[in-house]
Amino acid sequence: MHPDEFYMDMAMREAHRAGQAGEVPVGAVLVHPERGIVGKAHNQVETLKDATAHAEILAITQASASLEDWRLEDCTLYVTKEPCPMCAGAIVFSRVRRVVWGLTDTKRGGESRFGILTSPDTCHRPEILSGWMEEPCKQQFLGFFKAVRNHEVGKPGAGVPPS
């Protein structure tokens, strides 16, 4: 299994945990080339009653604590959905080296809509791989919102399970 596939699968499992808790199913995993996984999280906005509790922000916070440094220059972030503008800003300012995401968000995406990650005006521009394992990430997202419409969120087996 390709490392990108392995870590994206792990991010999808985190997204599944979010969906089971009634959160928008986004999962993130931050990987350091020598230390391995240094951050792993899923959305917890509703759980923590905190608008900033996105999977990416929580994973960045964990990684910074684990590495005892706010600079994540050697790390790769795997996330099931394109980071929003807030998360894209955090990625830029924490200097994540590479970002791999599944589902692109053309309406609210920090890169596809607002160009934050590749802006020449920022202090750092990460390498990007978008659309990685996009179809399973999309199906997981759609499965969650179908479960929301059917009032099944939070019930065992609701939504699409991770691969």
Side-chain angles (χ1 to χ4, degrees):
M1 179 181 278
H2 190 279
D4 287 345
E5 186 176 349
F6 176 81
Y7 291 118
M8 184 60 84
D9 185 63
M10 189 174 290
M12 288 183 67
R13 290 178 192 281
E14 283 295 313
H16 183 71
R17 290 179 63 202
Q20 289 296 296
E23 300 278 354
V24 173
V26 177
V29 176
L30 248 164
V31 180
H32 185 275
E34 295 164 6
R35 304 255 320 258
I37 297 165
V38 291
K40 179 172 70 166
H42 56 272
N43 275 0
Q44 295 185 55
V45 172
E46 300 297 336
T47 303
L48 299 176
K49 308 292 186 245
D50 180 353
T52 67
H54 289 200
E56 301 95 323
I57 300 290
L58 297 172
I60 287 170
T61 300
Q62 287 176 12
S64 296
S66 174
L67 296 171
E68 298 180 337
D69 196 348
W70 61 268
R71 294 172 196 88
L72 305 177
E73 295 166 331
D74 295 328
C75 295
T76 297
L77 173 67
Y78 295 89
V79 61
T80 57
K81 189 178 84 53
E82 178 182 359
C84 72
M86 173 182 69
C87 294
I91 290 164
V92 167
F93 287 114
S94 63
R95 299 182 182 156
V96 171
R97 183 182 66 82
R98 182 171 176 251
V99 182
V100 178
W101 74 73
L103 181 60
T104 296
D105 184 352
T106 57
K107 291 183 181 177
R108 293 174 210 87
E111 179 54 31
S112 65
R113 178 75 171 112
F114 297 101
I116 294 169
L117 298 174
T118 57
S119 172
D121 297 325
T122 61
C123 61
H124 172 76
R125 287 176 291 289
E127 179 185 328
I128 296 170
L129 174 57
S130 62
W132 182 255
M133 294 176 60
E134 184 168 24
E135 193 56 34
C137 291
K138 179 180 178 181
Q139 291 308 313
Q140 187 175 51
F141 213 72
L142 292 174
F144 171 79
F145 285 105
K146 180 180 179 184
V148 167
R149 286 189 304 276
N150 293 334
H151 307 287
E152 297 172 351
V153 171
K155 294 180 182 175
V160 177
S163 60

